[in-house]
Amino acid sequence: MADYKVRKVEPGQTKFRNVPIAVTPEGFWCCPSQAVFQKTLKNQNHQTKHKPENPPATSKSSSQKTSSPSSPEKRVLPSPSRSRVSSEDQKCLTSNTSASNPPPMASEGTPKPNGENQQRKISVGFGLSETSDLKVNLSGKEGIIVRMSVHSNILSEKSKFFADKLSRQSPVPCIEMDDCEDVEIYVETVGLMYCKEMRQRLMKQSVPRVLRIFKVAESLCFSACIKSCLEYLEAVPWVGEEEEHVISSVRNIQCDTYGINSIMKRVSSDISNPPNATLSCIMEMVLKSNDERGRREMKSLMLKLLKENSLLTNGSVDICVETLYDSCQSCLNSLLASFRQAAEPGFLDNKSLGCKDPVMQQIALEADNLLWLLEILADRRVADEFALMWATQGELAKLHPRLPTVSRHLVSCITARLFVGIGKGEMLPSKNTRQLLLHVWLQPLIDDYNWLQHGCRSFDRKVVEEGIGRTILTLPLDDQQSILLAWLGSFLKVGDSCPNLQRAFEVWWRRTFIRPFMEQQGPKMRLDRN
């Protein structure tokens, strides 16, 4: 049943070559894949090139050796048990390829102008060959032509497409299918019309192959196959890009006759507008986590996911901004309460670590949380309100010097990140907010600057200094002068322990002393030139 025949080669007759038949994992016979076919064609052409012009006569023993079962192109017969299972589905299968004799004067480097390089014909049979009453010819790519011997009653029963074709004329001896995109899967899908347990045959297939079968079944209106493919896709895990391929394939079906919703529910929910509540719950869990490693890993993951979401929204309404700012306010309230407790008289003099450590840990936790939330807001270009919230924390800034630098330096990291964001244009707070931010928080940042340089690995001095300088230069010239002169006094005292704002100082100098002179001399210089 599963064997294929090779006719004996006689002088002057047409040659018939074996083409390996592809077999699916569960033993289902189908036509060769194009890759296998092209490999066979290449091997045949390679062998033909190296043949002499007048080959000697082939003896009988050599021809028998060529068609012996030990040939590498010949497949081993399936076991008897497999044969009994397959006999209901396919009873007859032959595979033949035809080619005309090459012209005697063909040169070795020139391709032969015969049918062998242009067309390969394959014959496939399903069911009992003696009862087949219909031929279906498939014309595929690369010159592959497949002739299927099938039964009209089975095809018309399983497929509305074939039922419509066969109802137009009776009897119909042959159906031609031109420009078939996927001949291999087409043949396999027709073979599934002969199967009783289609689900079991699909179970050993991969998701991409089932999607190919699904596409052909949909074009043939093969309802049973469509349903089995959808049941498979609903139950099997999707890996990597398979999810997008499955969803795009399933969405093409308009009605839910086959239970498409069960597949779509894997990627969509029926709950109306759930993101805000869900995100709020996740944010609360992460921000209040007691395990440092787990908290940091989830912060990194969520920052990555929210960045991806920000790229997809592309400036549209952000559903999670309100949730993010609620979390910011909660963390800010907790930070201020911890600062108040740590700034109480005698708190730092208490030698009991059991009293001090929880408060200091809470300060570090809330400052880290705020820094993380600010990073998310800056990435989404919605951090203007955060800059205002931070600029108005006058009480927190007054309590800042009362705590040791090791406990408060993360608060200065928040200030530094705001200056970097303003300098890069990631946020555009108002002039009053920028003035207030520099007035309230620049000096605390200068006080902690030496510690930040040597105690924080992620602190980038050049980036922070450029951000501070650019923020100062966005203010009116009088404000620039007052801030930079105050900075100059600190810089001349502590040197590298203070931010180096020389670039901003140069710009302010030119604006103050050179630009007025150039503006005054400009008209006079033009008159002199005239």
Side-chain angles (χ1 to χ4, degrees), residues 301-312:
L301 175 61
M302 287 194 63
L303 183 61
K304 171 189 172 184
L305 294 175
L306 288 170
K307 281 184 177 181
E308 291 177 359
N309 187 53
S310 178
L311 293 174
L312 293 175

Side-chain angles (χ1 to χ4, degrees), residues 52-329:
E53 282 191 14
N54 299 315
T58 306
S59 64
K60 182 177 181 181
S61 60
S62 63
S63 63
Q64 289 177 352
K65 185 177 181 180
T66 304
S67 60
S68 65
S70 61
S71 173
E73 293 181 351
K74 191 92 169 183
R75 289 191 177 270
V76 180
L77 288 173
S79 61
S81 60
R82 177 64 57 81
S83 298
R84 286 196 295 270
V85 174
S86 302
S87 62
E88 296 179 357
D89 303 336
Q90 298 127 317
K91 198 69 178 179
C92 174
L93 183 146
T94 59
S95 173
N96 303 322
T97 56
S98 61
S100 60
N101 291 325
M105 298 301 294
S107 62
E108 185 175 323
T110 307
K112 299 177 182 181
N114 55 17
E116 186 174 348
N117 292 329
Q118 300 175 0
Q119 204 174 74
R120 281 295 181 272
K121 295 182 179 180
I122 305 167
S123 178
V124 181
F126 297 100
L128 297 173
S129 59
E130 58 270 19
T131 60
S132 64
D133 60 346
L134 179 64
K135 303 292 183 184
V136 177
N137 294 333
L138 306 176
S139 299
K141 298 178 180 178
E142 306 297 338
I144 298 176
I145 297 178
V146 178
R147 181 183 63 188
M148 296 189 293
S149 299
V150 293
H151 302 75
S152 58
N153 60 330
I154 293 178
L155 267 62
S156 59
E157 178 186 352
K158 301 291 184 178
S159 166
K160 291 183 179 180
F161 172 83
F162 283 116
D164 180 63
K165 289 280 186 181
L166 296 171
S167 64
R168 296 178 183 178
Q169 180 182 355
S170 182
V172 178
C174 181
I175 296 178
E176 298 287 342
M177 305 290 293
D178 297 329
D179 299 327
C180 188
E181 293 184 2
D182 202 340
V183 172
E184 177 191 358
I185 298 300
Y186 204 105
V187 173
E188 185 166 352
T189 306
V190 172
L192 289 172
M193 296 181 185
Y194 289 79
C195 299
K196 293 182 179 179
E197 298 295 336
M198 199 180 308
R199 181 187 178 91
Q200 278 66 30
R201 293 189 179 275
L202 293 175
M203 284 178 63
K204 295 183 181 180
Q205 303 287 0
S206 64
V207 171
R209 189 172 185 88
V210 171
L211 287 174
R212 291 165 64 191
I213 294 173
F214 174 77
K215 182 179 179 180
V216 175
E218 190 179 4
S219 67
L220 294 178
C221 300
F222 184 5
S223 300
C225 186
I226 294 174
K227 184 177 180 181
S228 296
C229 289
L230 290 173
E231 289 175 354
Y232 168 91
L233 295 171
E234 190 276 332
V236 73
W238 304 332
V239 181
E241 297 180 353
E242 291 177 355
E243 177 174 326
E244 296 302 325
H245 295 159
V246 171
I247 298 303
S248 62
S249 299
V250 170
R251 275 179 178 161
N252 294 331
I253 300 180
Q254 301 296 329
C255 62
D256 191 37
T257 308
Y258 303 103
I260 303 169
N261 286 340
S262 59
I263 295 179
M264 298 303 295
K265 283 181 179 179
R266 191 184 292 193
V267 296
S268 60
S269 174
D270 294 336
I271 303 174
S272 57
N273 196 24
N276 277 331
T278 306
L279 180 62
S280 179
C281 178
I282 295 172
M283 298 291 289
E284 185 177 0
M285 292 172 64
V286 173
L287 294 173
K288 294 184 178 180
S289 172
N290 294 324
D291 183 75
E292 183 177 357
R293 179 177 179 181
R295 183 174 64 251
R296 290 192 179 280
E297 288 185 1
M298 286 308 302
K299 281 182 176 180
S300 177
L301 175 61
M302 287 194 63
L303 183 61
K304 171 189 172 184
L305 294 175
L306 288 170
K307 281 184 177 181
E308 291 177 359
N309 187 53
S310 178
L311 293 174
L312 293 175
T313 55
N314 194 21
S316 61
V317 178
D318 200 330
I319 60 173
C320 66
V321 170
E322 184 178 352
T323 301
L324 291 171
Y325 273 109
D326 288 342
S327 299
C328 289
Q329 190 62 56

Side-chain angles (χ1 to χ4, degrees), residues 427-443:
M427 54 193 81
L428 302 173
S430 65
K431 179 189 68 175
N432 293 334
T433 300
R434 300 194 304 273
Q435 288 175 334
L436 189 59
L437 185 64
L438 287 162
H439 175 73
V440 173
W441 285 109
L442 181 57
Q443 188 57 48

Side-chain angles (χ1 to χ4, degrees), residues 389-454:
M389 290 173 60
W390 193 250
T392 55
Q393 297 302 312
E395 183 182 358
L396 187 63
K398 289 180 180 179
L399 296 173
H400 185 270
R402 299 186 188 180
L403 272 67
T405 308
V406 65
S407 302
R408 74 191 189 199
H409 72 278
L410 283 176
V411 173
S412 294
C413 287
I414 299 172
T415 304
R417 182 63 182 89
L418 280 169
F419 286 138
V420 171
I422 295 173
K424 289 183 176 180
E426 295 175 341
M427 54 193 81
L428 302 173
S430 65
K431 179 189 68 175
N432 293 334
T433 300
R434 300 194 304 273
Q435 288 175 334
L436 189 59
L437 185 64
L438 287 162
H439 175 73
V440 173
W441 285 109
L442 181 57
Q443 188 57 48
L445 176 60
I446 292 175
D447 295 339
D448 294 344
Y449 205 75
N450 188 48
W451 180 276
L452 292 173
Q453 293 182 74
H454 302 95

